[in-house]
PDB file of all heavy atoms in Angstrom:
ATOM      1  N   TRP A 256    -100.684 -29.821  16.895  1.00 71.00           N
ATOM      2  CA  TRP A 256     -99.567 -29.596  16.071  1.00 71.00           C
ATOM      3  C   TRP A 256    -100.069 -29.624  14.717  1.00 71.00           C
ATOM      4  O   TRP A 256    -100.723 -30.671  14.287  1.00 71.00           O
ATOM      5  CB  TRP A 256     -98.423 -30.404  16.450  1.00 71.00           C
ATOM      6  CG  TRP A 256     -97.697 -30.016  17.651  1.00 71.00           C
ATOM      7  CD1 TRP A 256     -96.677 -29.235  17.723  1.00 71.00           C
ATOM      8  CD2 TRP A 256     -98.131 -30.289  18.908  1.00 71.00           C
ATOM      9  NE1 TRP A 256     -96.322 -29.029  19.025  1.00 71.00           N
ATOM     10  CE2 TRP A 256     -97.274 -29.761  19.719  1.00 71.00           C
ATOM     11  CE3 TRP A 256     -99.225 -31.069  19.537  1.00 71.00           C
ATOM     12  CZ2 TRP A 256     -97.455 -29.720  21.206  1.00 71.00           C
ATOM     13  CZ3 TRP A 256     -99.313 -31.193  20.898  1.00 71.00           C
ATOM     14  CH2 TRP A 256     -98.317 -30.476  21.719  1.00 71.00           C
ATOM     15  N   THR A 257     -99.589 -28.861  13.730  1.00 67.00           N
ATOM     16  CA  THR A 257     -99.932 -28.787  12.339  1.00 67.00           C
ATOM     17  C   THR A 257     -98.555 -28.980  11.558  1.00 67.00           C
ATOM     18  O   THR A 257     -97.455 -28.558  12.092  1.00 67.00           O
ATOM     19  CB  THR A 257    -100.550 -27.592  11.906  1.00 67.00           C
ATOM     20  OG1 THR A 257     -99.786 -26.419  12.058  1.00 67.00           O
ATOM     21  CG2 THR A 257    -101.901 -27.513  12.623  1.00 67.00           C
ATOM     22  N   ARG A 258     -98.641 -29.373  10.294  1.00 63.00           N
ATOM     23  CA  ARG A 258     -97.467 -29.468   9.493  1.00 63.00           C
ATOM     24  C   ARG A 258     -97.024 -27.949   9.170  1.00 63.00           C
ATOM     25  O   ARG A 258     -97.908 -27.104   9.002  1.00 63.00           O
ATOM     26  CB  ARG A 258     -97.787 -30.103   8.183  1.00 63.00           C
ATOM     27  CG  ARG A 258     -97.841 -31.678   8.234  1.00 63.00           C
ATOM     28  CD  ARG A 258     -98.582 -32.135   7.082  1.00 63.00           C
ATOM     29  NE  ARG A 258     -99.999 -31.669   7.289  1.00 63.00           N
ATOM     30  CZ  ARG A 258    -100.906 -31.649   6.259  1.00 63.00           C
ATOM     31  NH1 ARG A 258    -100.687 -31.970   5.162  1.00 63.00           N
ATOM     32  NH2 ARG A 258    -102.231 -31.326   6.586  1.00 63.00           N
ATOM     33  N   GLN A 259     -95.644 -27.801   9.021  1.00 59.00           N
ATOM     34  CA  GLN A 259     -95.286 -26.494   8.580  1.00 59.00           C
ATOM     35  C   GLN A 259     -95.476 -26.225   7.201  1.00 59.00           C
ATOM     36  O   GLN A 259     -95.844 -25.073   6.975  1.00 59.00           O
ATOM     37  CB  GLN A 259     -93.655 -26.472   8.965  1.00 59.00           C
ATOM     38  CG  GLN A 259     -93.243 -25.008   8.755  1.00 59.00           C
ATOM     39  CD  GLN A 259     -91.814 -24.822   9.465  1.00 59.00           C
ATOM     40  OE1 GLN A 259     -91.450 -25.757  10.198  1.00 59.00           O
ATOM     41  NE2 GLN A 259     -91.143 -23.693   9.201  1.00 59.00           N
ATOM     42  N   LEU A 260     -95.477 -27.245   6.410  1.00 54.00           N
ATOM     43  CA  LEU A 260     -95.774 -27.041   4.983  1.00 54.00           C
ATOM     44  C   LEU A 260     -97.249 -27.358   4.784  1.00 54.00           C
ATOM     45  O   LEU A 260     -97.585 -28.540   5.068  1.00 54.00           O
ATOM     46  CB  LEU A 260     -94.788 -27.902   4.086  1.00 54.00           C
ATOM     47  CG  LEU A 260     -94.926 -27.730   2.633  1.00 54.00           C
ATOM     48  CD1 LEU A 260     -94.677 -26.287   2.113  1.00 54.00           C
ATOM     49  CD2 LEU A 260     -94.182 -28.779   1.933  1.00 54.00           C
ATOM     50  N   LYS A 261     -97.945 -26.609   4.321  1.00 55.00           N
ATOM     51  CA  LYS A 261     -99.405 -26.881   4.068  1.00 55.00           C
ATOM     52  C   LYS A 261     -99.682 -27.217   2.631  1.00 55.00           C
ATOM     53  O   LYS A 261     -99.056 -26.553   1.796  1.00 55.00           O
ATOM     54  CB  LYS A 261    -100.250 -25.611   4.366  1.00 55.00           C
ATOM     55  CG  LYS A 261     -99.940 -24.954   5.737  1.00 55.00           C
ATOM     56  CD  LYS A 261    -100.431 -25.819   7.007  1.00 55.00           C
ATOM     57  CE  LYS A 261    -100.281 -25.038   8.228  1.00 55.00           C
ATOM     58  NZ  LYS A 261     -99.415 -25.476   9.179  1.00 55.00           N
ATOM     59  N   PHE A 262    -100.369 -28.337   2.494  1.00 55.00           N
ATOM     60  CA  PHE A 262    -100.764 -28.718   1.072  1.00 55.00           C
ATOM     61  C   PHE A 262    -101.977 -27.939   0.569  1.00 55.00           C
ATOM     62  O   PHE A 262    -102.785 -27.581   1.409  1.00 55.00           O
ATOM     63  CB  PHE A 262    -100.935 -30.162   1.025  1.00 55.00           C
ATOM     64  CG  PHE A 262    -102.206 -30.638   1.669  1.00 55.00           C
ATOM     65  CD1 PHE A 262    -103.289 -30.796   1.036  1.00 55.00           C
ATOM     66  CD2 PHE A 262    -102.041 -31.032   3.024  1.00 55.00           C
ATOM     67  CE1 PHE A 262    -104.443 -31.183   1.593  1.00 55.00           C
ATOM     68  CE2 PHE A 262    -103.232 -31.530   3.710  1.00 55.00           C
ATOM     69  CZ  PHE A 262    -104.321 -31.628   2.987  1.00 55.00           C
ATOM     70  N   ALA A 263    -101.944 -27.752  -0.740  1.00 54.00           N
ATOM     71  CA  ALA A 263    -103.140 -27.078  -1.358  1.00 54.00           C
ATOM     72  C   ALA A 263    -104.342 -28.152  -1.544  1.00 54.00           C
ATOM     73  O   ALA A 263    -104.258 -29.063  -2.257  1.00 54.00           O
ATOM     74  CB  ALA A 263    -102.689 -26.481  -2.732  1.00 54.00           C
ATOM     75  N   GLY A 264    -105.348 -27.870  -0.834  1.00 61.00           N
ATOM     76  CA  GLY A 264    -106.531 -28.755  -0.898  1.00 61.00           C
ATOM     77  C   GLY A 264    -107.538 -28.127  -1.866  1.00 61.00           C
ATOM     78  O   GLY A 264    -107.187 -27.239  -2.565  1.00 61.00           O
ATOM     79  N   ILE A 265    -108.689 -28.800  -1.912  1.00 65.00           N
ATOM     80  CA  ILE A 265    -109.714 -28.436  -2.773  1.00 65.00           C
ATOM     81  C   ILE A 265    -110.086 -26.922  -2.795  1.00 65.00           C
ATOM     82  O   ILE A 265    -110.416 -26.276  -3.823  1.00 65.00           O
ATOM     83  CB  ILE A 265    -110.947 -29.364  -2.662  1.00 65.00           C
ATOM     84  CG1 ILE A 265    -112.004 -29.124  -3.729  1.00 65.00           C
ATOM     85  CG2 ILE A 265    -111.683 -29.172  -1.392  1.00 65.00           C
ATOM     86  CD1 ILE A 265    -111.594 -29.688  -5.185  1.00 65.00           C
ATOM     87  N   SER A 266    -110.067 -26.384  -1.594  1.00 67.00           N
ATOM     88  CA  SER A 266    -110.463 -24.979  -1.483  1.00 67.00           C
ATOM     89  C   SER A 266    -109.381 -24.040  -2.229  1.00 67.00           C
ATOM     90  O   SER A 266    -109.839 -23.034  -2.751  1.00 67.00           O
ATOM     91  CB  SER A 266    -110.412 -24.465  -0.109  1.00 67.00           C
ATOM     92  OG  SER A 266    -111.426 -25.167   0.721  1.00 67.00           O
ATOM     93  N   ASN A 267    -108.215 -24.451  -2.462  1.00 72.00           N
ATOM     94  CA  ASN A 267    -107.204 -23.710  -3.096  1.00 72.00           C
ATOM     95  C   ASN A 267    -107.608 -23.662  -4.635  1.00 72.00           C
ATOM     96  O   ASN A 267    -107.298 -22.637  -5.229  1.00 72.00           O
ATOM     97  CB  ASN A 267    -105.795 -24.334  -3.076  1.00 72.00           C
ATOM     98  CG  ASN A 267    -104.769 -23.421  -3.421  1.00 72.00           C
ATOM     99  OD1 ASN A 267    -104.702 -22.199  -3.098  1.00 72.00           O
ATOM    100  ND2 ASN A 267    -103.920 -23.824  -4.352  1.00 72.00           N
ATOM    101  N   THR A 268    -108.280 -24.623  -5.180  1.00 79.00           N
ATOM    102  CA  THR A 268    -108.632 -24.541  -6.601  1.00 79.00           C
ATOM    103  C   THR A 268    -109.801 -23.581  -6.874  1.00 79.00           C
ATOM    104  O   THR A 268    -110.118 -23.257  -7.945  1.00 79.00           O
ATOM    105  CB  THR A 268    -109.076 -26.057  -7.046  1.00 79.00           C
ATOM    106  OG1 THR A 268    -110.207 -26.404  -6.403  1.00 79.00           O
ATOM    107  CG2 THR A 268    -107.970 -26.929  -6.911  1.00 79.00           C
ATOM    108  N   SER A 269    -110.300 -23.058  -5.729  1.00 83.00           N
ATOM    109  CA  SER A 269    -111.394 -22.055  -5.935  1.00 83.00           C
ATOM    110  C   SER A 269    -110.794 -20.758  -6.656  1.00 83.00           C
ATOM    111  O   SER A 269    -111.640 -20.063  -7.289  1.00 83.00           O
ATOM    112  CB  SER A 269    -112.010 -21.703  -4.585  1.00 83.00           C
ATOM    113  OG  SER A 269    -111.023 -21.046  -3.775  1.00 83.00           O
ATOM    114  N   THR A 270    -109.475 -20.541  -6.537  1.00 83.00           N
ATOM    115  CA  THR A 270    -108.974 -19.329  -7.107  1.00 83.00           C
ATOM    116  C   THR A 270    -109.054 -19.428  -8.670  1.00 83.00           C
ATOM    117  O   THR A 270    -108.798 -18.443  -9.272  1.00 83.00           O
ATOM    118  CB  THR A 270    -107.544 -19.161  -6.665  1.00 83.00           C
ATOM    119  OG1 THR A 270    -106.756 -20.365  -6.969  1.00 83.00           O
ATOM    120  CG2 THR A 270    -107.507 -18.937  -5.075  1.00 83.00           C
ATOM    121  N   ILE A 271    -109.327 -20.530  -9.261  1.00 89.00           N
ATOM    122  CA  ILE A 271    -109.384 -20.713 -10.751  1.00 89.00           C
ATOM    123  C   ILE A 271    -110.602 -20.144 -11.145  1.00 89.00           C
ATOM    124  O   ILE A 271    -110.725 -19.659 -12.455  1.00 89.00           O
ATOM    125  CB  ILE A 271    -109.416 -22.195 -11.017  1.00 89.00           C
ATOM    126  CG1 ILE A 271    -108.043 -22.830 -10.677  1.00 89.00           C
ATOM    127  CG2 ILE A 271    -109.613 -22.425 -12.488  1.00 89.00           C
ATOM    128  CD1 ILE A 271    -108.003 -24.342 -10.771  1.00 89.00           C
ATOM    129  N   TYR A 272    -111.616 -19.964 -10.372  1.00 93.00           N
ATOM    130  CA  TYR A 272    -112.968 -19.475 -10.707  1.00 93.00           C
ATOM    131  C   TYR A 272    -113.224 -18.111 -10.108  1.00 93.00           C
ATOM    132  O   TYR A 272    -112.762 -17.841  -9.092  1.00 93.00           O
ATOM    133  CB  TYR A 272    -114.069 -20.469 -10.260  1.00 93.00           C
ATOM    134  CG  TYR A 272    -113.790 -21.816 -10.854  1.00 93.00           C
ATOM    135  CD1 TYR A 272    -113.131 -22.831 -10.019  1.00 93.00           C
ATOM    136  CD2 TYR A 272    -114.283 -22.215 -12.185  1.00 93.00           C
ATOM    137  CE1 TYR A 272    -112.892 -24.028 -10.600  1.00 93.00           C
ATOM    138  CE2 TYR A 272    -113.973 -23.436 -12.549  1.00 93.00           C
ATOM    139  CZ  TYR A 272    -113.304 -24.458 -11.828  1.00 93.00           C
ATOM    140  OH  TYR A 272    -113.088 -25.658 -12.376  1.00 93.00           O
ATOM    141  N   LYS A 273    -114.084 -17.297 -10.899  1.00 95.00           N
ATOM    142  CA  LYS A 273    -114.380 -15.912 -10.476  1.00 95.00           C
ATOM    143  C   LYS A 273    -115.685 -16.102  -9.500  1.00 95.00           C
ATOM    144  O   LYS A 273    -115.809 -15.324  -8.548  1.00 95.00           O
ATOM    145  CB  LYS A 273    -114.848 -15.090 -11.704  1.00 95.00           C
ATOM    146  CG  LYS A 273    -113.464 -14.704 -12.441  1.00 95.00           C
ATOM    147  CD  LYS A 273    -113.966 -13.763 -13.444  1.00 95.00           C
ATOM    148  CE  LYS A 273    -112.618 -13.561 -14.365  1.00 95.00           C
ATOM    149  NZ  LYS A 273    -112.904 -12.901 -15.640  1.00 95.00           N
ATOM    150  N   ARG A 274    -116.672 -16.853  -9.815  1.00 96.00           N
ATOM    151  CA  ARG A 274    -117.831 -17.073  -8.995  1.00 96.00           C
ATOM    152  C   ARG A 274    -118.229 -18.557  -8.856  1.00 96.00           C
ATOM    153  O   ARG A 274    -118.314 -19.265  -9.827  1.00 96.00           O
ATOM    154  CB  ARG A 274    -119.006 -16.365  -9.627  1.00 96.00           C
ATOM    155  CG  ARG A 274    -118.886 -14.822  -9.621  1.00 96.00           C
ATOM    156  CD  ARG A 274    -119.910 -14.209 -10.411  1.00 96.00           C
ATOM    157  NE  ARG A 274    -121.060 -14.049  -9.591  1.00 96.00           N
ATOM    158  CZ  ARG A 274    -121.485 -13.112  -8.644  1.00 96.00           C
ATOM    159  NH1 ARG A 274    -120.516 -12.345  -8.338  1.00 96.00           N
ATOM    160  NH2 ARG A 274    -122.569 -13.181  -8.025  1.00 96.00           N
ATOM    161  N   GLY A 275    -118.399 -18.887  -7.658  1.00 97.00           N
ATOM    162  CA  GLY A 275    -118.803 -20.385  -7.382  1.00 97.00           C
ATOM    163  C   GLY A 275    -119.623 -20.472  -6.235  1.00 97.00           C
ATOM    164  O   GLY A 275    -119.992 -19.512  -5.426  1.00 97.00           O
ATOM    165  N   ILE A 276    -120.130 -21.689  -5.933  1.00 97.00           N
ATOM    166  CA  ILE A 276    -120.877 -21.976  -4.712  1.00 97.00           C
ATOM    167  C   ILE A 276    -120.289 -23.083  -3.987  1.00 97.00           C
ATOM    168  O   ILE A 276    -119.697 -24.177  -4.543  1.00 97.00           O
ATOM    169  CB  ILE A 276    -122.260 -22.646  -5.163  1.00 97.00           C
ATOM    170  CG1 ILE A 276    -123.076 -21.497  -6.007  1.00 97.00           C
ATOM    171  CG2 ILE A 276    -123.148 -23.046  -3.941  1.00 97.00           C
ATOM    172  CD1 ILE A 276    -124.259 -21.904  -6.678  1.00 97.00           C
ATOM    173  N   ARG A 277    -120.080 -22.903  -2.644  1.00 96.00           N
ATOM    174  CA  ARG A 277    -119.547 -24.031  -1.787  1.00 96.00           C
ATOM    175  C   ARG A 277    -120.728 -24.513  -1.092  1.00 96.00           C
ATOM    176  O   ARG A 277    -121.487 -23.726  -0.286  1.00 96.00           O
ATOM    177  CB  ARG A 277    -118.564 -23.447  -0.754  1.00 96.00           C
ATOM    178  CG  ARG A 277    -117.199 -23.112  -1.299  1.00 96.00           C
ATOM    179  CD  ARG A 277    -116.483 -24.229  -1.877  1.00 96.00           C
ATOM    180  NE  ARG A 277    -116.419 -25.431  -1.062  1.00 96.00           N
ATOM    181  CZ  ARG A 277    -115.285 -25.932  -0.548  1.00 96.00           C
ATOM    182  NH1 ARG A 277    -114.212 -25.333  -0.571  1.00 96.00           N
ATOM    183  NH2 ARG A 277    -115.437 -26.993   0.217  1.00 96.00           N
ATOM    184  N   VAL A 278    -121.119 -25.775  -1.281  1.00 96.00           N
ATOM    185  CA  VAL A 278    -122.252 -26.479  -0.615  1.00 96.00           C
ATOM    186  C   VAL A 278    -121.575 -27.388   0.453  1.00 96.00           C
ATOM    187  O   VAL A 278    -120.680 -28.256   0.199  1.00 96.00           O
ATOM    188  CB  VAL A 278    -123.114 -27.354  -1.576  1.00 96.00           C
ATOM    189  CG1 VAL A 278    -124.230 -27.885  -0.884  1.00 96.00           C
ATOM    190  CG2 VAL A 278    -123.524 -26.455  -2.785  1.00 96.00           C
ATOM    191  N   CYS A 279    -122.122 -27.281   1.636  1.00 93.00           N
ATOM    192  CA  CYS A 279    -121.540 -28.238   2.559  1.00 93.00           C
ATOM    193  C   CYS A 279    -122.623 -28.664   3.659  1.00 93.00           C
ATOM    194  O   CYS A 279    -123.649 -28.055   3.792  1.00 93.00           O
ATOM    195  CB  CYS A 279    -120.415 -27.678   3.426  1.00 93.00           C
ATOM    196  SG  CYS A 279    -120.713 -26.074   4.231  1.00 93.00           S
ATOM    197  N   THR A 280    -122.461 -29.872   4.242  1.00 91.00           N
ATOM    198  CA  THR A 280    -123.413 -30.287   5.180  1.00 91.00           C
ATOM    199  C   THR A 280    -122.550 -30.519   6.538  1.00 91.00           C
ATOM    200  O   THR A 280    -121.369 -30.922   6.341  1.00 91.00           O
ATOM    201  CB  THR A 280    -124.112 -31.600   4.818  1.00 91.00           C
ATOM    202  OG1 THR A 280    -123.117 -32.620   4.596  1.00 91.00           O
ATOM    203  CG2 THR A 280    -124.984 -31.357   3.624  1.00 91.00           C
ATOM    204  N   GLY A 281    -123.208 -30.201   7.653  1.00 88.00           N
ATOM    205  CA  GLY A 281    -122.549 -30.551   9.018  1.00 88.00           C
ATOM    206  C   GLY A 281    -121.133 -29.907   9.123  1.00 88.00           C
ATOM    207  O   GLY A 281    -120.848 -28.825   8.834  1.00 88.00           O
ATOM    208  N   THR A 282    -120.284 -30.900   9.524  1.00 83.00           N
ATOM    209  CA  THR A 282    -118.780 -30.363   9.749  1.00 83.00           C
ATOM    210  C   THR A 282    -118.087 -30.093   8.429  1.00 83.00           C
ATOM    211  O   THR A 282    -116.934 -29.606   8.483  1.00 83.00           O
ATOM    212  CB  THR A 282    -118.004 -31.514  10.480  1.00 83.00           C
ATOM    213  OG1 THR A 282    -118.157 -32.728   9.746  1.00 83.00           O
ATOM    214  CG2 THR A 282    -118.617 -31.663  11.901  1.00 83.00           C
ATOM    215  N   GLY A 283    -118.648 -30.376   7.315  1.00 86.00           N
ATOM    216  CA  GLY A 283    -118.175 -29.934   6.028  1.00 86.00           C
ATOM    217  C   GLY A 283    -117.908 -28.451   5.877  1.00 86.00           C
ATOM    218  O   GLY A 283    -117.100 -27.949   5.064  1.00 86.00           O
ATOM    219  N   LEU A 284    -118.618 -27.832   6.822  1.00 88.00           N
ATOM    220  CA  LEU A 284    -118.374 -26.341   6.901  1.00 88.00           C
ATOM    221  C   LEU A 284    -116.842 -25.874   6.996  1.00 88.00           C
ATOM    222  O   LEU A 284    -116.405 -24.963   6.450  1.00 88.00           O
ATOM    223  CB  LEU A 284    -119.138 -25.705   7.849  1.00 88.00           C
ATOM    224  CG  LEU A 284    -119.040 -24.198   8.216  1.00 88.00           C
ATOM    225  CD1 LEU A 284    -119.746 -23.504   6.882  1.00 88.00           C
ATOM    226  CD2 LEU A 284    -119.720 -23.764   9.473  1.00 88.00           C
ATOM    227  N   GLY A 285    -116.179 -26.785   7.849  1.00 84.00           N
ATOM    228  CA  GLY A 285    -114.722 -26.511   8.014  1.00 84.00           C
ATOM    229  C   GLY A 285    -113.959 -26.413   6.679  1.00 84.00           C
ATOM    230  O   GLY A 285    -112.995 -25.760   6.625  1.00 84.00           O
ATOM    231  N   ALA A 286    -114.358 -27.240   5.779  1.00 83.00           N
ATOM    232  CA  ALA A 286    -113.585 -27.244   4.438  1.00 83.00           C
ATOM    233  C   ALA A 286    -113.975 -26.072   3.561  1.00 83.00           C
ATOM    234  O   ALA A 286    -113.192 -25.877   2.607  1.00 83.00           O
ATOM    235  CB  ALA A 286    -113.717 -28.643   3.737  1.00 83.00           C
ATOM    236  N   ALA A 287    -115.222 -25.640   3.686  1.00 88.00           N
ATOM    237  CA  ALA A 287    -115.812 -24.710   2.960  1.00 88.00           C
ATOM    238  C   ALA A 287    -115.742 -23.183   3.340  1.00 88.00           C
ATOM    239  O   ALA A 287    -115.697 -22.259   2.403  1.00 88.00           O
ATOM    240  CB  ALA A 287    -117.362 -24.994   2.646  1.00 88.00           C
ATOM    241  N   LEU A 288    -115.662 -22.902   4.541  1.00 88.00           N
ATOM    242  CA  LEU A 288    -115.976 -21.499   5.009  1.00 88.00           C
ATOM    243  C   LEU A 288    -114.886 -20.538   4.623  1.00 88.00           C
ATOM    244  O   LEU A 288    -115.237 -19.447   4.227  1.00 88.00           O
ATOM    245  CB  LEU A 288    -116.219 -21.557   6.570  1.00 88.00           C
ATOM    246  CG  LEU A 288    -116.665 -20.254   7.125  1.00 88.00           C
ATOM    247  CD1 LEU A 288    -117.829 -19.564   6.381  1.00 88.00           C
ATOM    248  CD2 LEU A 288    -117.043 -20.428   8.699  1.00 88.00           C
ATOM    249  N   SER A 289    -113.658 -21.049   4.782  1.00 87.00           N
ATOM    250  CA  SER A 289    -112.456 -20.086   4.551  1.00 87.00           C
ATOM    251  C   SER A 289    -112.648 -19.454   2.919  1.00 87.00           C
ATOM    252  O   SER A 289    -112.392 -18.354   2.742  1.00 87.00           O
ATOM    253  CB  SER A 289    -111.160 -20.728   4.570  1.00 87.00           C
ATOM    254  OG  SER A 289    -110.856 -20.966   5.887  1.00 87.00           O
ATOM    255  N   THR A 290    -113.076 -20.346   2.002  1.00 89.00           N
ATOM    256  CA  THR A 290    -113.315 -19.952   0.606  1.00 89.00           C
ATOM    257  C   THR A 290    -114.215 -18.768   0.565  1.00 89.00           C
ATOM    258  O   THR A 290    -114.018 -17.708  -0.025  1.00 89.00           O
ATOM    259  CB  THR A 290    -113.716 -21.127  -0.258  1.00 89.00           C
ATOM    260  OG1 THR A 290    -112.706 -22.100  -0.149  1.00 89.00           O
ATOM    261  CG2 THR A 290    -113.997 -20.572  -1.672  1.00 89.00           C
ATOM    262  N   CYS A 291    -115.370 -18.961   1.273  1.00 91.00           N
ATOM    263  CA  CYS A 291    -116.439 -17.949   1.305  1.00 91.00           C
ATOM    264  C   CYS A 291    -116.019 -16.504   2.024  1.00 91.00           C
ATOM    265  O   CYS A 291    -116.439 -15.554   1.710  1.00 91.00           O
ATOM    266  CB  CYS A 291    -117.724 -18.597   1.665  1.00 91.00           C
ATOM    267  SG  CYS A 291    -118.299 -19.876   0.618  1.00 91.00           S
TER     268      CYS A 291
END
């Protein structure tokens, strides 16, 4: 089950930038992949 209201995490701040790099290791991919 997930919350109905989703909070804006670090990935949401990617919209501030035009070009960036998401670096992740291991399971950190879960937090990075949607942005890319």
Side-chain angles (χ1 to χ4, degrees):
W256 283 264
T257 63
R258 286 165 285 161
Q259 187 160 352
L260 180 63
K261 310 296 189 245
F262 66 91
I265 188 70
S266 295
N267 192 53
T268 60
S269 65
T270 59
I271 297 171
Y272 303 95
K273 291 181 182 167
R274 291 177 76 80
I276 299 172
R277 285 301 311 250
V278 183
C279 56
T280 59
T282 58
L284 180 68
L288 189 52
S289 290
T290 299
C291 297

